[in-house]
Amino acid sequence: MIVALDGTVLVVAQPSMRRDLGASVAQVQWTSTAYLLTVAAFLVVAGRLGDRYGHSRLAITGVLGFAAASAGIALAPGVGWVIALRAAQGFFGALLQPATLALLRLAYPPDRLATPVAVRTSAIGVAAAAGPLLGGLLVAHLGWRAVFVVNVPLALAIAALILAVRVPEPERTGAGRPPLGSAALLVAAVAALVHALAGVPAYGWTAPPTLLGLGGAAGLGVLLVRWERRGAHPLVPAAVARSMPVMASMALLLAASGALSGALFTATFLLQDVRGLGAYDTALRLLPLTAVMVAGAPLAGFAQRRFGARRIALAGTGLVALGIAGLCTEALTGAGGAVLGAGFAAVMVTATGTVVGDAPPGYAGVVGGLKQTATNVGPAFGIALAAGAGAGAGTEAGAGAGATPALLALAALAAVGLLPASLLPGRPRGAAAGDLVGEDAGQRGERAPAAHGPADGERR
């Protein structure tokens, strides 16, 4: 929640930061890009470290480091310091995010994960909705530095909660030396990919910087696969790579998060450049979509237990595609926004529950890292797709004309998610109403030895 709040608050604070520090537009953009690059690059590595050294330890390190970096930004004398400390924030945020998912997996058995996953999704939605409003109030009355000061007490409170709640740790996995070669290749590949996608709005898809970045990411990806196949202790274990529910959930989250972020990017330009709304009024227009998403998350969790992951994921993905297509005529103010919010809530809860519930015993951290990577790379791809299709063009007429093709392209991206959604587990015959992902106890790992995953055999 603190990570989502920080990201949305910063958007409102950036203009004031630029004026106060005398920064250029490119430098201000790097206050976001530096964070995005770092957090996306280190998520899987952080998850693997949590599986090896303990998720509570990683969570504490992440949240305290996030607080320290935030305090440093609040005192930063120049924009260069802000960019460097935002990169540090991204690193500590990467430590924190997979650990929270892994701790949920350890604290709850698979058939009771739906409710905590829905609560987590709702909390993220609330933070995303409150961020622009809170940021506007803080910047107006206290200045942009207050945006980062707020993170410190929140982070300390979270650290206290982690210390107070004792969660059983699994048996440490990945005996032997950490896979440093795989980690370095993965960090470089993800950083190159995100950097290339972040530059698409400025350069376009066919510009040399974009092509070089995408080509470099692809080449590093090929090297990573070969390295992983030769390694005795790969960064992404074979048990994870062969898990169809986990891999299908990753692909679904990539498509859905990309489609949603691209739609919000497009609609923001449409509301501000064509309809002439300010940043605060634009944030208010986003509240109905977010409210439906927050309210829909618990309902999605209940529906998943009742009907199985596959049906809810297919329905949610279809609603995301229909909702984005509906925005072509009503920029987030009517039924299109409500349908989009409801669909994304269903996809997020179902895919996250499947990822966490189907994580092979002892690998909840690396699976959580993969999930968070998908939801970080997806938005970068969705915004790049929207910009490449004409969203956010320089003139008012261009912004309006480019919105429709961009939204249709994003609706098509969401529709691609129907394929991985169809590969999620269904609800087996005779399943109990409380089952989460529609698999029997053996498939979920509940019969695995407790040493590999204490929560698999516990009921709280």
Side-chain angles (χ1 to χ4, degrees), residues 33-105:
T33 303
Y35 177 88
L36 179 62
L37 282 172
T38 312
V39 72
F42 283 98
L43 281 166
V44 177
V45 177
R48 196 73 168 93
L49 290 174
D51 289 331
R52 181 179 175 82
Y53 298 109
H55 301 296
S56 295
R57 187 178 303 172
L58 263 289
I60 289 292
T61 303
V63 74
L64 292 180
F66 196 90
S70 298
I73 295 172
L75 300 172
V79 70
W81 281 97
V82 174
I83 294 171
L85 288 168
R86 281 288 289 169
Q89 258 192 333
F91 174 76
F92 289 112
L95 296 183
L96 178 62
Q97 294 181 60
T100 59
L101 284 172
L103 290 173
L104 283 182
R105 177 67 179 87

Side-chain angles (χ1 to χ4, degrees), residues 199-363:
V200 169
Y203 302 115
W205 284 101
T206 58
T210 303
L211 295 178
L212 285 173
L214 295 177
L220 289 167
V222 171
L223 289 176
L224 173 63
V225 171
R226 292 181 176 178
W227 189 285
E228 286 277 272
R229 287 179 175 175
R230 293 198 305 264
H233 302 287
L235 183 65
V236 179
V240 174
R242 289 196 299 261
S243 174
M244 180 61 71
V246 170
M247 292 296 106
S249 296
M250 303 300 175
L252 175 57
L253 287 168
L254 188 72
S257 63
L260 175 68
S261 295
L264 293 177
F265 174 85
T266 304
T268 299
F269 275 98
L270 190 60
L271 288 171
Q272 294 190 17
D273 291 350
V274 177
R275 299 196 177 186
L277 299 180
Y280 189 80
D281 289 333
T282 299
L284 291 177
R285 295 294 182 98
L286 298 177
L287 284 180
L289 180 149
T290 309
V292 172
M293 187 170 69
V294 171
L299 296 177
F302 172 79
Q304 183 181 0
R305 292 192 301 269
R306 179 69 177 83
F307 299 106
R310 184 185 305 145
R311 291 181 182 179
I312 303 306
L314 286 170
T317 304
L319 288 176
V320 171
L322 289 174
I324 292 175
L327 297 182
C328 292
T329 57
E330 43 176 319
L332 297 173
T333 59
V339 170
L340 175 56
F344 189 75
V347 169
M348 193 70 175
V349 171
T350 304
T352 302
T354 302
V355 165
V356 179
D358 283 76
Y363 294 119

Side-chain angles (χ1 to χ4, degrees), residues 420-449:
S422 68
L423 300 176
L424 296 186
R427 184 169 181 264
R429 185 179 307 171
D435 286 348
L436 173 65
V437 294
E439 295 184 328
D440 61 34
Q443 290 173 308
R444 290 194 307 257
E446 288 187 84
R447 293 174 186 169

